[in-house]
Amino acid sequence: MSKGKKTTSRRKKKVKKPSRILGFFKSQQTHLVFGVFVFSSAIFLLISFYSFLQHWKEDQSVLEGFSNKSLSASNLLGKLGASISDFFVYDGFGLATFVFPILLFFTGLYIILNIPVKQLSKSWFNGLAAMVWLSLGLAYLRPQYPLLGGKVGYEINEFLQIYIGGIGVLLLLMISLLLFLITTFKITPSKIKSWIPKPKPRPKKEKNNVFADDVTEEGFITETTYDSLDDEMDLELESFETISPEPEVKDELILDPEVTSKSEEDFSQVGEPPEMDEEEIEIVVEGPVEEEHTIKNLANSLVKDFGEFDPKLELSNYRFPELSLLKDYSNENININKQELENNKNRIVETLNNYKIGIASIKATIGPTVTLYEIVPDAGVRISKIKNLEDDIALSLSALGIRIIAPIPGRGTIGIEVPNKKPSIVSMKSVLSSQKFQNNKMDLPIALGKTISNETYVIDLAKMPHLLMAGATGQGKSVGLNAVLASLLYKRHPAEVKFVLVDPKKVELTLFNKIERHYLAKLPDTEEAIITDTKMVINTLNSLCIEMDNRYDLLKNAYVRNIKEYNNKFIARKLNPENGHRYLPYIILVIDEFADLIMTAGKEIEGPIARLAQLARAIGIHLIVATQRPSVNVITGIIKANFPARVAFRVTSKIDSRTILDSQGADQLIGKGDMLISTGNDLTRLQCAFIDTPEVEQLTDFIGAQRAYATAHILPEYIGEENGTSLDIDIESRDKLFDEAAKLVVIAQQGSASLLQRKLKLGYNRAGRIIDQLEAANIVGPFEGSKARQVLVSDMVSLQQLLDDEQK
């Protein structure tokens, strides 16, 4: 018995222990504590995830130095929130991770409110499955953005792409979604049949229905019984008015008073309405019809008959270039080197501490080639003191091209731009494929590159309205021009834009010869569309001035203020082509080396350029001028005043930087496409998009292989003054020193204005007029750019004979 008692006592002790544990878990207080914990965890994760999406770049340095107390995170929930978010979002499922805290939120709510949680198991299963599906889907759609799908989605997508390919992944996503919808909503074939709408039966005709058989072909009612339709009298009168075939006249019309009174009497009587002959109704138009209304009515009828005018009709089958023509680069993605960020940050802080400058906070923004460190100094620190430490910070970082922005406009911080040790290439394909470029509604969109925050930079040339580019040799200026031209070729039809290309180097823009009949404009009776000769440049600029004046006359006659309003009016057929009106394409003048033209032609180039820059904006002529040497004698005050948008690649001195940008900074760039752009008061640092020569060649080959216009766009003809005028031929109007100058030119066998200036001590203008008079007298040849004119008379005897013949 004793043994039995012992055994029973032992069993009772074993039963008591688990009963206490179960009682603890069954307690309502425990449920409430656990529910509050789950609920608050969900809110914590939601806030930290949301903050991580905004500040994940800035907190990269904090994640490495988690135990470092001097570092502070930008996340709303501090370092812990940044670390947890980095694990769940970046290393986990990306944006799909938001499903997890939502599930936790409702789970905690169910536990707190003591609601049975049996259905939560199914919700958790569906939620986790949706999280994996969303992660894979986002990684499949945007593999270049790992933050969207997270590492899990990225790795799953990479694994599936290898074995089943991209189409297989897409089919897997669609089939899994379809199966989920069928099982969740219990879809069956019978339900699908019930969703298909059935045809409605036609209503039966009524005897007294006015709208059915009682209406004749002419639109009049034959038999009606108004006594039985007293309530519907107004409705019947309205239907009678709409059915009657009265002509619609938009101008102000006055009907014959007899006809009007008669019709009113007949309508007032109850019974059959009288029959009217169309010949009896006379329409009298009093007063002159306004011309504007007539043109508007005519335009509406033309649009109704023929549709709007389509400027692309001649090349309606033209296909825009494909992005596959451009090249992908292996080192295009930005590589975040956390060790490099940490080292640079420590060196900046240490250098500033050496000069007793305290820092309240510091954060980093990583770009393709440059990382921007934004610092907030302690109160009482002068900004100029930090600005003067530019060279000291560059020395401590062992980097080229340190640039300090003090302060950054609109942020209240001081920026220190430090070049990355391993810069990334910004390809033209990545820029043109961005949503910002593809979905823009600009008139002349140009994608120049990417900013420090890795955002695509797109501007509208039509609003700039002209662009001035400068940079030393080999710093990316010609690549920038190719990027500008490629952007417009990808967005604008040949009917909408034309290029006038000036290339004094003769080798930079030659590839665009292949699209001459599609996109280029040139003077009549010229072989090459790309202009390389200085004389032809002068003629082309003056021809553009003539085109500008002609277009302003067209705008004046059309009563519009700019080319956009004019083309809209012409497309709506409100302008008559017989009066000289035509569709006006944008004309873009591109000059690759402006300094060389100024050296050889001087005022003859500067005058038309300044005139076009001042006036050509409204009529759609825009200028893109590039130069290697942004000195004051090349970029004069008149040119700078009319080129508000300026791009500066790396230059050799601070003076050149001030000349092009009116501020320093361009001399501290690192080259290879690194540039500053000024569209007003602010400077923006960009990495120019890189497009190589083979890419330009493939692009022009693709366009050139398509059907083109018969010829290039022909500009107005310009006859230069060098061909001579009646004044030049008139002997009496010749300069007093004409004979002496002629003898000097024949003896020296060199025809140039500088020779006359030196030997006869003349001014430039007078020497130039004498040279023109010598050309008119067939003593010297025509203008040949930087070369001296050819002397056509060989000796003094022939000269004297020529002068004597003129006297006779």
Side-chain angles (χ1 to χ4, degrees):
M1 295 294 291
S2 61
K3 289 181 180 179
K5 288 180 182 178
K6 286 181 181 179
T7 54
T8 53
S9 62
R10 285 177 185 174
R11 284 177 184 174
K12 285 180 181 178
K13 287 181 181 178
K14 287 180 182 178
V15 171
K16 283 181 182 178
K17 223 172 187 179
S19 65
R20 291 178 182 177
I21 297 172
L22 290 173
F24 174 79
F25 282 105
K26 288 182 179 180
S27 172
Q28 292 184 356
Q29 189 175 6
T30 306
H31 285 184
L32 182 61
V33 170
F34 183 68
V36 170
F37 174 78
V38 174
F39 186 80
S40 58
S41 299
I43 296 175
F44 181 92
L45 290 177
L46 278 173
I47 295 172
S48 62
F49 290 174
Y50 173 75
S51 181
F52 180 76
L53 293 180
Q54 295 180 329
H55 305 289
W56 70 277
K57 290 184 179 180
E58 304 163 11
D59 292 338
Q60 292 300 317
S61 59
V62 178
L63 297 174
E64 288 294 324
F66 188 83
S67 59
N68 193 346
K69 296 181 179 179
S70 62
L71 296 177
S72 60
S74 300
N75 195 292
L76 294 175
L77 296 176
K79 291 183 179 181
L80 181 61
S83 300
I84 293 176
S85 301
D86 184 71
F87 174 78
F88 276 98
V89 180
Y90 191 83
D91 294 332
F93 297 90
L95 293 182
T97 316
F98 279 87
V99 175
F100 183 69
I102 292 173
L103 291 173
L104 282 179
F105 180 85
F106 286 102
T107 302
L109 198 64
Y110 271 48
I111 295 173
I112 292 171
L113 299 177
N114 201 16
I115 300 174
V117 292
K118 293 181 180 180
Q119 296 295 330
L120 277 178
S121 58
K122 186 177 180 181
S123 300
W124 270 89
F125 176 78
N126 292 335
L128 294 177
M131 191 163 65
V132 176
W133 189 89
L134 285 173
S135 176
L136 177 58
L138 292 172
Y140 173 77
L141 293 175
R142 286 290 184 271
Q144 65 270 27
Y145 299 116
L147 189 66
L148 295 178
K151 281 189 178 180
V152 173
Y154 182 80
E155 294 296 335
I156 296 174
N157 180 49
E158 286 288 323
F159 176 81
L160 293 175
Q161 291 267 8
I162 294 171
Y163 288 98
I164 63 175
I167 298 177
V169 176
L170 180 62
L171 289 174
L172 179 63
L173 289 170
M174 294 175 64
I175 292 170
S176 58
L177 178 63
L178 185 62
L179 293 175
F180 174 79
L181 294 175
I182 291 173
T183 55
T184 303
F185 296 101
K186 298 180 181 179
I187 299 174
T188 59
S190 57
K191 281 188 178 181
I192 296 174
K193 288 181 181 179
S194 64
W195 295 339
I196 301 173
K198 297 179 181 180
K200 296 180 180 180
R202 292 184 178 180
K204 295 181 180 180
K205 297 179 182 179
E206 297 179 3
K207 291 182 180 181
N208 295 329
N209 189 0
V210 179
F211 301 98
D213 297 331
D214 297 329
V215 182
T216 62
E217 293 180 357
E218 293 79 12
F220 294 104
I221 302 174
T222 55
E223 293 183 2
T224 54
T225 54
Y226 291 104
D227 296 333
S228 61
L229 300 173
D230 292 333
D231 296 334
E232 297 178 5
M233 177 67 72
D234 295 335
L235 180 62
E236 289 175 350
L237 289 177
E238 288 177 5
S239 65
F240 183 82
E241 290 174 2
T242 56
I243 295 171
S244 62
E246 290 184 9
E248 293 182 6
V249 182
K250 293 186 178 180
D251 295 317
E252 194 175 17
L253 305 178
I254 300 177
L255 300 179
D256 192 352
E258 295 180 2
V259 176
T260 306
S261 60
K262 185 178 179 181
S263 61
E264 289 177 355
E265 291 175 1
D266 293 337
F267 278 116
S268 63
Q269 296 176 2
V270 178
E272 294 183 3
E275 296 182 357
M276 300 182 192
D277 295 333
E278 293 181 359
E279 297 179 355
E280 295 179 0
I281 302 176
E282 295 181 358
I283 299 175
V284 180
V285 180
E286 292 188 356
V289 180
E290 294 183 3
E291 184 179 359
E292 185 179 352
H293 290 172
T294 305
I295 294 173
K296 188 175 180 181
N297 293 336
L298 179 61
N300 291 336
S301 63
L302 288 173
V303 170
K304 186 177 180 180
D305 295 337
F306 303 102
E308 292 185 340
F309 174 77
D310 185 9
K312 307 175 186 178
L313 186 62
E314 190 172 350
L315 295 184
S316 57
N317 295 326
Y318 175 80
R319 291 188 300 117
F320 283 95
E322 301 170 355
L323 290 174
S324 59
L325 299 171
L326 302 177
K327 186 179 177 183
D328 287 317
Y329 293 89
S330 58
N331 58 338
E332 189 172 345
N333 295 328
I334 296 177
N335 298 318
I336 301 173
N337 190 339
K338 297 181 180 179
Q339 186 63 38
E340 181 184 347
L341 292 174
E342 185 70 20
N343 293 339
N344 288 342
K345 186 263 301 180
N346 292 335
R347 288 170 185 169
I348 291 172
V349 173
E350 183 181 354
T351 303
L352 295 177
N353 286 335
N354 291 338
Y355 293 91
K356 298 180 181 179
I357 297 175
I359 297 176
S361 65
I362 182 170
K363 61 180 180 179
T365 304
I366 306 168
T369 56
V370 175
T371 299
L372 174 64
Y373 294 89
E374 293 184 55
I375 62 174
V376 179
D378 289 338
V381 177
R382 291 185 178 181
I383 295 177
S384 60
K385 193 174 181 181
I386 300 177
K387 182 71 175 175
N388 294 333
L389 296 176
E390 195 168 50
D391 296 334
D392 300 279
I393 296 173
L395 178 63
S396 65
L397 294 173
S398 302
L400 175 67
I402 296 295
R403 179 170 170 262
I404 293 181
I405 312 169
I408 298 177
R411 294 195 190 179
T413 58
I414 296 173
I416 302 175
E417 295 176 345
V418 182
N420 298 335
K421 291 183 179 179
K422 292 183 179 180
S424 304
I425 291 179
V426 177
S427 67
M428 197 69 204
K429 184 176 182 179
S430 66
V431 172
L432 296 183
S433 61
S434 65
Q435 294 295 324
K436 193 171 184 180
F437 180 78
Q438 292 291 334
N439 299 331
N440 74 81
K441 296 181 181 180
M442 301 177 182
D443 296 323
L444 296 173
I446 294 175
L448 285 176
K450 291 188 177 181
T451 62
I452 290 179
S453 57
N454 205 35
E455 295 178 359
T456 303
Y457 190 84
V458 183
I459 51 176
D460 190 0
L461 180 62
K463 294 181 179 179
M464 294 173 70
H466 311 294
L467 182 61
L468 183 62
M469 303 175 70
T473 305
Q475 304 304 320
K477 180 167 44 58
S478 296
V479 176
L481 282 178
N482 287 336
V484 170
L485 295 174
S487 301
L488 295 170
L489 292 178
Y490 268 91
K491 266 296 186 181
R492 287 290 161 257
H493 191 274
E496 298 175 321
V497 64
K498 300 295 178 183
F499 299 105
V500 178
L501 303 181
V502 177
D503 184 15
K505 296 180 185 177
K506 304 181 182 180
V507 293
E508 293 293 345
L509 302 175
T510 51
L511 289 175
F512 293 95
N513 261 324
K514 300 174 185 177
I515 60 172
E516 174 183 336
R517 293 189 298 146
H518 292 86
Y519 281 101
L520 300 190
K522 65 177 184 179
L523 291 174
D525 301 326
T526 54
E527 296 181 0
E528 297 291 334
I530 297 178
I531 307 160
T532 57
D533 182 50
T534 307
K535 179 182 176 182
M536 294 303 298
V537 174
I538 297 171
N539 292 344
T540 304
L541 291 177
N542 286 286
S543 174
L544 287 174
C545 291
I546 297 173
E547 174 72 12
M548 178 181 69
D549 295 333
N550 294 340
R551 288 190 173 197
Y552 269 117
D553 290 338
L554 292 176
L555 262 64
K556 175 186 173 184
N557 296 334
Y559 301 101
V560 293
R561 295 183 298 174
N562 54 55
I563 185 174
K564 196 169 184 180
E565 295 176 3
Y566 179 88
N567 283 337
N568 290 338
K569 207 168 184 179
F570 187 82
I571 289 173
R573 299 186 184 273
K574 296 180 181 179
L575 301 175
N576 192 351
E578 295 181 358
N579 297 332
H581 292 292
R582 54 193 168 88
Y583 183 82
L584 301 179
Y586 287 95
I587 297 178
I588 300 172
L589 171 63
V590 180
I591 301 178
D592 187 28
E593 186 44 68
F594 187 62
D596 182 69
L597 297 179
I598 292 294
M599 288 174 63
T600 55
K603 296 291 182 182
E604 294 179 276
I605 293 288
E606 185 181 352
I609 285 285
R611 189 161 183 263
L612 288 171
Q614 289 170 354
L615 300 174
R617 173 183 181 176
I619 45 83
I621 298 178
H622 302 279
L623 280 63
I624 301 175
V625 177
T627 180
Q628 290 180 358
R629 189 165 57 91
S631 54
V632 179
N633 58 342
V634 174
I635 303 175
T636 60
I638 297 176
I639 292 176
K640 284 181 65 176
N642 293 287
F643 282 80
R646 302 170 201 166
V647 168
F649 294 88
R650 188 184 181 188
V651 294
T652 54
S653 66
K654 293 182 179 180
I655 297 174
D656 290 344
S657 178
R658 289 194 191 100
T659 304
I660 182 67
L661 295 176
D662 295 328
S663 65
Q664 298 181 17
D667 56 313
Q668 297 164 329
L669 301 175
I670 60 175
K672 296 182 180 180
D674 191 18
M675 70 182 198
L676 291 171
I677 180 169
S678 170
T679 55
N681 297 325
D682 298 337
L683 287 177
T684 305
R685 190 167 185 174
L686 304 175
Q687 177 61 36
C688 182
F690 179 70
I691 178 168
D692 204 0
T693 303
E695 297 177 73
V696 178
E697 189 173 2
Q698 289 183 0
L699 176 60
T700 53
D701 285 340
F702 180 86
I703 297 174
Q706 300 186 53
R707 181 175 175 269
Y709 295 106
T711 60
H713 184 77
I714 302 300
L715 298 173
E717 186 177 2
Y718 172 75
I719 301 174
E721 296 180 359
E722 63 273 4
N723 293 335
T725 60
S726 59
L727 266 178
D728 297 330
I729 298 172
D730 188 6
I731 298 175
E732 295 180 358
S733 63
R734 286 177 178 171
D735 195 278
K736 294 179 181 180
L737 298 176
F738 175 81
D739 293 345
E740 189 175 350
K743 294 175 183 178
L744 178 62
V745 166
V746 172
I747 292 171
Q749 285 295 304
Q750 180 184 354
S752 65
S754 60
L755 176 67
L756 301 183
Q757 285 180 271
R758 293 195 308 270
K759 297 296 183 180
L760 300 180
K761 298 180 180 180
L762 302 176
Y764 176 80
N765 293 334
R766 187 177 180 185
R769 284 195 299 270
I770 294 176
I771 286 291
D772 291 339
Q773 292 169 7
L774 291 172
E775 182 186 352
N778 294 325
I779 297 174
V780 297
F783 178 73
E784 297 182 6
S786 58
K787 299 179 182 178
R789 296 175 185 249
Q790 183 183 0
V791 180
L792 304 178
V793 180
S794 58
D795 51 28
M796 294 297 295
V797 177
S798 301
L799 174 63
Q800 191 62 42
Q801 185 178 357
L802 180 63
L803 295 176
D804 292 341
D805 291 341
E806 288 183 351
Q807 293 293 335
K808 295 176 182 180

